[in-house]
Amino acid sequence: AGIELDPVFITSSLEMLKELVLGHAAATLLPALSVAREIRSGQMVAVPLAGKKGIHTQIDLCIAPDRQLSFAATKLADFIERFMREVTAG
């Protein structure tokens, strides 16, 4: 869109970004999945970006290929994968 941004905060921590927003110190662009709980609880609001397309992000569930997961870890990974597919599908 030709817009230049001058970021005040730069961090790779989603929790830090969310705390800055909750503390009224910043606005941020985050994937809906990362703030779904805060939106549901009314702590944050999502403001759609104008235009035909939003910003697409990729979220990966990473599991070491040479590691045998425990039963509980397998169930958790399955749940996360299913949840991510459902959220991103609709």
Side-chain angles (χ1 to χ4, degrees):
I3 298 172
E4 286 191 37
L5 299 176
D6 184 21
V8 176
F9 301 101
I10 300 174
T11 179
S12 60
S13 169
L14 291 176
E15 290 304 314
M16 174 63 81
L17 289 171
K18 292 194 293 187
E19 286 301 317
L20 289 167
V21 171
L22 291 171
H24 305 281
T28 189
L29 298 173
L30 290 173
L33 179 62
S34 65
V35 290
R37 180 179 15 168
E38 290 82 0
I39 291 171
R40 278 194 308 272
S41 71
Q43 293 178 291
M44 290 185 185
V45 294
V47 178
L49 298 174
K52 295 180 181 179
K53 296 183 179 182
I55 296 172
H56 296 281
T57 59
Q58 181 173 326
I59 298 174
D60 296 314
L61 174 60
C62 301
I63 301 171
D66 58 341
R67 182 162 183 161
Q68 180 66 37
L69 296 178
S70 68
F71 176 80
T74 299
K75 290 295 184 187
L76 178 60
D78 290 345
F79 170 81
I80 292 170
E81 182 178 7
R82 206 169 38 254
F83 177 80
M84 288 170 62
R85 286 185 195 283
E86 290 171 5
V87 169
T88 57

